[in-house]
């Protein structure tokens, strides 16, 4: 076992090798604070037949034992399918390491990162990125790394390297960057409307300090790195080479003029239709050529796909023109609509070119929040964004399954983009769920989802601070010469043939989210700067179109949305509202329509939130709790109801009546307080169930007793105060505010008690 250490961000990072997973192609552990992860990298010895892509798998395994937790389910204690957070971390690692592989490799490669320990201070994703890079770099797997990874935050105007969870709560920026010493490979960011200049400064800061991590990995590779091997590939004979070049030449000659004509078509549908025809005609052309074998015919069709990408790239670099005729910084036609669906709480439709996304908002009670019980998180989430990408959106047929990694990743990106503009819970206590349905796709549906979500939220009356729009920037680059062009609003073919997918979302004030994926070896800071500037220009245009559809959030909620009524009570009164075993609160809910109509949530700080789909029931529950928890004042007059006739326990003599003033709050009228004349029996004056107007004459907060009077209602002002105090009530007799009597004080006082 060997260990390598480096001080990074004020904490020690330790890379250890040689102890675990000795049969993997490469393995190591990385420790940062008390967070420890194990990474392994393995490549199969055999080429996988029948595929035309590089088969890379990246898995991130959360283990609850790492956080000292046992799964909350009563029936399943084993970890199940990966959480959304685990999927997002796996995607982050995948997007970082994938560009540095040779895409011609057909051997299976798998990277597995397992979290062994978490300290709830240092996020495992940073050491996981470092561990994956190290395991690949020291293995014999062909990979052009290593790369480093670093998180950057900004607290009180100061950049912070790898901020802790606590520091991230105070930061207006959460930026994760991976890359080499000279270039950026991957970016993932969430921000609170941070300017483009500040974002570029943060990326530059990350690039500079990432070299510390790279230096540590390079030290490990220098001492323990294995010689890279190239997977077995068939050696092409001179004759085979000549035949391949002959077939390629025939294909290029056949498709050249047709491709130029296809790229002049405006819509993706037209281009796809013509490309399909061209493929069929090419196949017939090659079949008719007796010099071309069946295998060469299949290879010829692949040449067509390569030429499609090459042709679109040449148009940009050589002619400064795109396949649909747009300028490099020109947006496709944009449209925005709201209120499409009659019964939903809010809806918005956003279209950009042939990309069309409909987002729908549902408002729920605070109790509808998502409960988090993961390795890293415990708590609740009040805003959720879910993204659906059915096959029909790209004109294909596929079985409907649960959300895949792509759906989870795109949904999380749009969610991240909107979180900074959501209202505070105190101002808008609803749980908010947005679902984005991709109806048609031709580039950047995740950013269309951010736009559609803003429209839907404003349509629902959610008082967001500002609308958010997003755009995807692309890159056409000749890595041999360094020549490049940045594209605004890329569509499918430009994403496939291009070198990057740089998604930027934000408001008029600044950036709220970034996600960068690349296919080239890396991006310079100059390209990042140009992409950020182009994204801002496009964002302003998109927001202008969105605001034309709905200029601000609606002032009223949908009539089908529930209403939330709030009040704040003394935390000491929470138990009183809930009642023994929930008896009181359940009674309120049942009296106000039941759980399908009314829900009541109470926070520990005394915030009471009543959610009801019927306003009259919500107001009834609100007034009920208000009356239950408010302080009764001396001099107040109530129309109460007699609930009990009180008798002396020893003598049996009636001594007063209990009157309910408010729900859960009552007081006592002593027999002497009914009339100025003597009364023999209370039941001669009132009966249980009778309505009775009373006046509050005393309040004992410490003992929870309220004294009531009937005769005080007829006394002249000041008459009672000028009268000597009346001591007709036996010592120790009384009542408590909830109508429950102190059993210890009910026995009348007798001299023998002192014997």
């Amino acid at each position: 076992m060997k260990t390598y250490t480096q001080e990074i961000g004020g904490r020690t990072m330790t890379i250890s090798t040689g102890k675990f997973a000795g049969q993997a192609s490469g393995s190591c552990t990385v420790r940062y604070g008390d967070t420890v992860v194990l990474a392994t990298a393995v490549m199969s010895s055999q080429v996988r037949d029948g595929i035309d892509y590089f088969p890379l798998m990246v898995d991130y395994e959360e283990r609850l034992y790492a956080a000292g937790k046992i799964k909350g389910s009563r029936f399943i204690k084993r970890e199940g399918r990966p959480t959304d957070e685990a999927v997002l971390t796996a995607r982050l690692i995948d997007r970082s390491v994938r560009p540095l592989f040779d895409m011609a490799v057909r051997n299976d490669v798998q990277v597995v990162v397992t979290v062994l320990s978490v300290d709830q201070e240092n996020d495992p994703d940073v050491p996981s990125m470092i561990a994956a890079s190290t395991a690949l770099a020291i293995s014999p797997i062909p990979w052009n790394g290593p790369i480093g990874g670093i998180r950057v935050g900004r607290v009180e105007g100061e950049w912070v390297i790898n901020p802790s969870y606590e520091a991230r709560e105070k930061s207006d920026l959460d930026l994760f960057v991976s890359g080499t010493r000279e270039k950026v490979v991957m970016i993932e960011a969430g921000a609170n409307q941070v300017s483009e200049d500040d974002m570029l400064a943060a990326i530059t800061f990350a690039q500079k300090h990432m070299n510390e991590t790279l230096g540590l990995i390079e030290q490990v590779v220098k001492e323990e790195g294995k010689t890279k091997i190239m997977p077995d590939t068939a050696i092409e004979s001179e004759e085979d080479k000549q035949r391949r070049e002959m077939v390629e030449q025939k294909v290029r000659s056949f498709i050249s003029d047709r491709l130029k004509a296809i790229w002049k078509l405006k819509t993706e549908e037209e281009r796809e239709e013509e490309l399909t025809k061209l493929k069929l005609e090419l196949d017939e052309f090659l079949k008719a050529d007796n010099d071309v074998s069946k295998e060469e015919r299949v290879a010829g069709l692949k040449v067509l796909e390569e030429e499609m990408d090459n042709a679109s790239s040449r148009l940009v670099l050589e002619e400064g023109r795109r396949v649909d005729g747009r300028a490099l910084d020109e947006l496709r036609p944009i449209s925005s609509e709201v209120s499409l669906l009659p019964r939903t709480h809010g809806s918005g439709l956003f279209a950009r070119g042939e990309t069309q996304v409909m987002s729908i908002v549902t408002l729920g009670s605070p109790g509808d929040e998502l409960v988090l019980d993961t390795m890293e998180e415990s708590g609740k989430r009040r805003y959720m964004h879910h993204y659906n990408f059915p096959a029909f959106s790209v004109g294909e047929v596929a079985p409907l399954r649960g959300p895949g990694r792509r759906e989870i990743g795109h949904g999380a990106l749009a969610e991240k983009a909107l979180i900074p503009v959501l209202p505070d819970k105190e101002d808008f206590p609803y749980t908010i769920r947005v679902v984005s349905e991709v109806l048609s796709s031709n580039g950047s549906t995740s950013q269309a989802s951010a736009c559609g979500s803003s429209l839907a939220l404003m349509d629902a009356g959610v008082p967001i601070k500002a609308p958010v729009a997003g755009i995807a920037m692309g890159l056409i680059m000749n890595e041999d010469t360094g020549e490049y062009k940045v594209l605004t609003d890329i569509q499918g073919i430009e994403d496939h043939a291009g070198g990057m997918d740089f998604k930027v979302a934000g408001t008029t004030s600044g950036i709220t989210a970034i996600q960068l994926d690349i296919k080239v070896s890396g991006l310079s800071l100059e390209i990042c700067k140009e992409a950020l500037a182009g994204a801002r220009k496009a964002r302003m245009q998109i927001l202008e179109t969105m605001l034309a559809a709905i200029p601000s959030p609606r002032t009223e909620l949908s009539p089908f949305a529930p209403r939330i009524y709030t009040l704040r009570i003394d935390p000491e009164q929470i138990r009183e509202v809930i009642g023994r075993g929930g008896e009181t609160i359940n009674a309120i809910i049942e009296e106000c329509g039941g759980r399908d109509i009314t829900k009541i949530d109470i926070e520990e700080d005394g915030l009471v939130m009543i959610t009801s789909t019927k306003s009259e029931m919500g107001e009834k529950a609100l007034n009920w709790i208000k009356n239950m928890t408010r302080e009764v004042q001396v001099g107040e007059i109530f129309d109460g109801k007699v609930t009990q006739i009180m008798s002396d326990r020893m003598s049996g003599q009636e001594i007063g009546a209990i009157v309910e003033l408010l729900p859960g709050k009552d007081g006592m009228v002593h027999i002497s307080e009914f009339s100025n004349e003597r009364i023999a029996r209370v039941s001669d004056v009132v009966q249980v169930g009778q309505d009775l107007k009373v006046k509050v004459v005393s309040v004992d907060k410490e003992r929870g007793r309220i004294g009531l009077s009937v005769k005080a209602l007829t006394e002249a002002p000041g008459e009672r105060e000028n009268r000597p105090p009346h001591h007709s009530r036996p010592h120790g007799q009384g009542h408590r505010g909830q109508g429950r009597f102190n059993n210890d004080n009910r026995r009348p006082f007798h001299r023998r008690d002192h014997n």
Side-chain angles (χ1 to χ4, degrees), residues 366-381:
D368 291 329
E369 291 177 320
L370 174 65
V371 177
L372 301 174
D373 183 21
T374 66
M375 182 189 71
E376 296 180 64
E377 295 181 280
S378 294
K380 295 181 179 180
R381 182 181 298 165

Side-chain angles (χ1 to χ4, degrees), residues 81-151:
R81 59 172 295 174
T83 64
D84 286 0
E85 290 72 22
V87 169
L88 295 175
T89 302
R91 279 173 52 85
L92 182 144
I93 298 170
D94 187 307
R95 291 162 39 218
S96 298
V97 302
R98 187 178 291 270
L100 280 77
F101 280 99
D102 181 354
M103 292 296 110
V105 172
R106 295 296 178 263
N107 296 64
D108 287 294
V109 175
Q110 184 176 30
V111 176
V112 179
V113 178
T114 307
V115 183
L116 303 178
S117 174
V118 289
D119 59 10
Q120 306 300 336
E121 180 180 353
N122 298 289
D123 195 318
D125 58 4
V126 173
S128 294
M129 179 69 256
I130 304 305
S133 175
T134 304
L136 284 168
I138 64 176
S139 76
I141 299 172
W143 185 63
N144 296 320
I147 56 174
I150 189 171
R151 171 175 270 111

Side-chain angles (χ1 to χ4, degrees), residues 119-357:
D119 59 10
Q120 306 300 336
E121 180 180 353
N122 298 289
D123 195 318
D125 58 4
V126 173
S128 294
M129 179 69 256
I130 304 305
S133 175
T134 304
L136 284 168
I138 64 176
S139 76
I141 299 172
W143 185 63
N144 296 320
I147 56 174
I150 189 171
R151 171 175 270 111
V152 173
R154 184 170 63 176
V155 179
E156 297 180 354
E158 297 292 329
W159 300 121
V160 181
I161 296 174
N162 295 336
S164 63
Y165 287 111
E166 182 179 356
R168 283 159 66 179
E169 291 293 325
K170 304 173 184 176
S171 174
D172 65 348
L173 172 69
D174 183 15
L175 171 69
F176 194 110
V177 179
S178 61
T180 63
R181 289 187 178 274
E182 299 83 19
K183 295 182 178 180
V184 173
V185 174
M186 191 282 307
I187 297 175
E188 184 77 31
N192 189 7
Q193 303 185 70
V194 170
S195 70
E196 279 71 18
D197 289 343
D198 287 352
M199 183 63 74
L200 184 64
I203 296 171
T204 304
F205 179 85
Q207 182 75 54
K208 174 183 176 183
H209 289 276
M210 194 160 48
N211 290 336
E212 299 173 1
T213 304
L214 277 167
L216 179 62
I217 300 174
E218 288 167 353
Q219 181 184 353
V220 180
V221 175
K222 181 179 179 181
E223 296 190 21
E224 301 190 47
K226 301 173 184 176
T227 302
K228 298 296 183 183
I229 60 173
M230 288 304 298
D232 293 335
T233 56
I235 300 176
E236 190 177 39
S237 66
E238 186 62 30
E239 182 182 355
D240 289 340
K241 180 181 178 182
Q242 290 176 358
R243 288 196 60 81
R244 175 177 57 80
E245 291 176 347
M246 177 267 295
V247 173
E248 290 177 357
Q249 181 59 40
K250 287 184 177 183
V251 171
R252 291 190 177 99
S253 298
F254 184 82
I255 66 175
S256 179
D257 293 338
R258 290 285 300 276
L259 273 182
K260 290 178 182 179
I262 289 173
W263 292 146
K264 293 179 181 180
L265 298 174
K266 294 293 184 181
T267 68
E268 178 73 9
E269 184 179 1
E270 291 175 317
R271 289 193 296 273
E272 284 296 327
E273 184 178 347
E274 290 301 315
L275 284 171
T276 300
K277 290 180 182 178
L278 180 57
K279 289 178 183 178
L280 293 174
E281 292 173 9
L282 175 61
D283 191 45
E284 291 299 323
F285 168 74
L286 294 175
K287 282 181 180 178
D289 191 331
N290 295 327
D291 290 338
V292 178
S293 67
K294 181 179 179 180
E295 291 76 16
E296 290 171 336
R297 191 172 76 245
V298 173
L301 293 174
K302 292 182 179 179
V303 172
L304 171 59
E305 296 177 2
E306 294 173 4
E307 282 301 302
M308 288 164 51
D309 290 346
N310 294 337
S312 63
S313 298
R314 285 196 299 269
L315 276 174
V316 173
L317 292 179
E318 296 174 6
E319 302 180 27
R321 168 171 86 80
R322 300 164 73 169
V323 294
D324 56 2
R326 281 184 293 150
L328 302 188
D329 63 348
E330 184 180 351
L331 291 167
R332 289 173 289 174
I334 297 170
S335 65
S336 301
E337 296 180 54
V338 294
S339 301
L340 292 96
L341 305 174
R343 294 300 293 258
T344 59
H345 301 164
S347 58
L349 180 68
F350 180 83
R352 186 177 57 241
E354 291 164 300
T355 292
Q356 184 187 56
V357 175

Side-chain angles (χ1 to χ4, degrees), residues 331-566:
L331 291 167
R332 289 173 289 174
I334 297 170
S335 65
S336 301
E337 296 180 54
V338 294
S339 301
L340 292 96
L341 305 174
R343 294 300 293 258
T344 59
H345 301 164
S347 58
L349 180 68
F350 180 83
R352 186 177 57 241
E354 291 164 300
T355 292
Q356 184 187 56
V357 175
M358 181 167 60
S359 296
I360 300 96
V361 170
T362 305
L363 303 177
S365 72
D368 291 329
E369 291 177 320
L370 174 65
V371 177
L372 301 174
D373 183 21
T374 66
M375 182 189 71
E376 296 180 64
E377 295 181 280
S378 294
K380 295 181 179 180
R381 182 181 298 165
R382 63 182 284 253
Y383 176 68
M384 297 153 280
H385 181 272
H386 296 144
Y387 166 101
N388 295 318
F389 189 92
F392 67 73
S393 65
V394 288
E396 295 179 357
V397 176
L400 296 176
R401 299 285 186 263
R405 287 191 173 194
R406 184 179 185 277
E407 284 80 5
I408 291 172
H410 281 25
L413 178 60
E415 180 178 294
K416 184 184 296 184
L418 270 297
I419 286 176
V421 302
L422 294 177
D424 295 333
K425 187 174 183 178
E426 289 282 341
D427 302 325
F428 195 79
Y430 288 90
T431 295
I432 307 168
R433 180 179 183 239
V434 181
V435 178
S436 290
E437 304 283 0
V438 178
L439 306 179
S440 178
S441 173
N442 185 19
S444 193
T445 52
S446 66
Q447 298 310 286
S449 297
C451 299
S453 295
S454 290
L455 293 169
L457 288 167
M458 291 195 289
D459 182 52
V462 179
I464 58 175
K465 299 168 187 174
V468 172
I471 193 69
M473 306 296 291
L475 176 73
I476 300 298
M477 185 176 190
N478 185 329
E479 291 200 79
D480 294 332
T481 64
E483 183 183 7
Y484 73 88
K485 297 289 184 182
V486 173
L487 307 180
T488 297
D489 182 20
I490 57 174
Q491 55 184 319
I493 184 63
E494 293 168 335
D495 185 10
H496 186 266
M500 77 175 183
D501 184 4
F502 201 140
K503 307 181 187 77
V504 184
T507 66
T508 55
S509 300
I511 295 168
T512 58
I514 290 179
Q515 188 175 93
L516 168 66
D517 301 327
I518 66 170
K519 297 190 183 84
V520 294
S521 59
L523 302 184
S524 66
L525 292 174
E526 185 62 32
I527 294 177
C528 293
K529 179 180 180 180
E530 191 173 336
L532 289 173
R536 176 172 177 78
K537 177 183 175 183
R539 191 166 74 244
M540 298 303 108
Q541 293 177 254
I542 296 170
L543 286 170
E544 184 177 345
T545 303
M546 291 170 56
L547 292 175
I550 180 168
S552 61
R554 301 196 189 281
T555 55
E556 293 186 3
L557 300 179
S558 162
F560 305 107
R563 267 47 179 179
I564 294 184
Y565 306 84
T566 63

